[in-house]
Each structure stands twice: as structure tokens, then as C-alpha cells.
């Protein structure tokens, strides 16, 4: 049998009962077929009503499981964060990192102590983020001391070299 319906304010059809159901008509959608004196709700036509009821009672397909998101090494923590570590206080700032000063000290003054200063500087933020405030402060202080020692050694060596160059007449 062929059916007509009203779609977007206009008569549409002819459709089969299955096509109407596929269109997502509602039980109160007006439908007409040859032999009916007037438009009737879709729920009053046995064939269409049976299809709509069967679709309501049919088991719904399960949504496909989401694909697992890959974990890249750069995003995975290297070691688990300590449980119960104190989080930084809301207004408390991270201790100074001194990374720029460490690099300058290493390049211009004394490489071994400068490398040590860079290592301590690199430990400040990770310790802070993991909530280990004491370790962050300790690494910051050590970086600062290594920079001071590096600059001092560099200054002493440059004075020492200057004195010997002057004495040697170079």
C-alpha cells in the first residue's frame, strides 16, 4: 500500500510503510492512503503502527567502543607521583629555576660546575609540580650555589691567567 504524509508543511508521497518508519515519523504524524476519507495519525494505521512498535521494542545496537588512546612516552610519567605529597599552597610560587644563569655560567666560566648548576636547575619544576616542595627549594638553592661557585672560579681563573700573562710578557 502507498501512503502520503505531510512533511515540512507539504504533502509528500507515495511511501511504503517501511519508508515512512525510516523517515522517523511520530505516532501523531498525519498519514493518508487511498480509501481513507481524511488524514489520520500514523498510530491509527495498523501496518505503520506495527512497524513503529517493532522498532521501539527491538534491541538497540550497542555503540562501538571508543578506540583506546595511545600513550606516548613523552606524556607518561617516568615514575609514579608519591601518594600524599603536599600540593603547593595556592598563593605559593615555584622557587627560582636559574636555568638561564646556569647555562651562561657553564659557557663563560667553568664547565663542570656549570653543568652541575644546569642539572639542579632542571630538577626544580618537576619537583614542584609533583608536590615535593622541599626538594624543589633544595634544588633551587643548590643551582644558585653552583652558579655562584662557577662565577667565582671563573673570576679567579681569569685573574690568575691575566697575572701570568702579564708576568710572561704575552
Amino acid at each position: 500500500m502507498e501512503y502520503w504524509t505531510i512533511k515540512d508543511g507539504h504533502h509528500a508521497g507515495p511511501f511504503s510503510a517501511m519508508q515512512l518508519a525510516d523517515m522517523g515519523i511520530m505516532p501523531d504524524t498525519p498519514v493518508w492512503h487511498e480509501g481513507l476519507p481524511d488524514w489520520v495519525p500514523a498510530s491509527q494505521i495498523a501496518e505503520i503502527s506495527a512497524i513503529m512498535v517493532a522498532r521501539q521494542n527491538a534491541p538497540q545496537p550497542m555503540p562501538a567502543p571508543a578506540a583506546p588512546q595511545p600513550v606516548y612516552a613523552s606524556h607518561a610519567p617516568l615514575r609514579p607521583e608519591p601518594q600524599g605529597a603536599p600540593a603547593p599552597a595556592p598563593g605559593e610560587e615555584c622557587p627560582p629555576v636559574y636555568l638561564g644563569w646556569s647555562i651562561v655560567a657553564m659557557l663563560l666560566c667553568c664547565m663542570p660546575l656549570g653543568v652541575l648548576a644546569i642539572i639542579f636547575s632542571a630538577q626544580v619544576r618537576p619537583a614542584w609540580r609533583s608536590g615535593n616542595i622541599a626538594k624543589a627549594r633544595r634544588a633551587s638553592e643548590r643551582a644558585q650555589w653552583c652558579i655562584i661557585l662557577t662565577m667565582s672560579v671563573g673570576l679567579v681563573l681569569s685573574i690568575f691567567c691575566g697575572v701570568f700573562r702579564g708576568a710572561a710578557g704575552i
Side-chain angles (χ1 to χ4, degrees), residues 97 115-124 138-140 142-143 146:
V97 177
V115 169
L116 195 58
I118 290 173
I119 291 171
F120 286 129
S121 295
Q123 293 175 352
V124 175
R138 196 169 44 250
S140 177
R142 288 179 179 169
C146 285

Side-chain angles (χ1 to χ4, degrees), residues 8-161:
D8 299 327
H10 301 301
H11 295 153
F15 300 107
S16 68
M18 193 64 74
Q19 288 173 323
L20 283 176
D22 288 343
M23 289 171 44
I25 64 167
M26 304 304 284
D28 60 343
T29 302
V31 176
W32 179 85
H33 67 80
E34 197 171 313
L36 283 177
D38 202 3
W39 296 87
V40 295
S43 61
Q44 290 185 5
I45 298 177
E47 184 180 13
I48 298 172
S49 181
I51 293 172
M52 290 174 30
V53 168
R55 288 200 175 173
Q56 284 179 341
N57 294 335
Q60 299 296 318
M62 295 295 291
Q69 296 296 320
V71 176
Y72 299 102
S74 62
H75 298 310
L78 297 177
R79 58 189 122 122
E81 293 184 10
Q83 296 296 325
E92 197 172 358
E93 292 183 16
C94 180
V97 177
Y98 300 117
L99 186 60
W101 284 107
S102 300
I103 293 170
V104 168
M106 181 203 62
L107 292 175
L108 299 179
C109 299
C110 178
M111 187 172 281
L113 286 172
V115 169
L116 195 58
I118 290 173
I119 291 171
F120 286 129
S121 295
Q123 293 175 352
V124 175
R125 282 201 185 108
W128 182 259
R129 286 186 193 122
S130 70
N132 197 340
I133 300 166
K135 182 177 179 182
R137 287 184 183 139
R138 196 169 44 250
S140 177
E141 289 172 5
R142 288 179 179 169
Q144 184 180 21
W145 277 109
C146 285
I147 292 167
I148 292 170
L149 284 173
T150 302
M151 299 282 194
S152 301
V153 168
L155 181 65
V156 168
L157 287 177
S158 63
I159 291 172
F160 189 68
C161 288

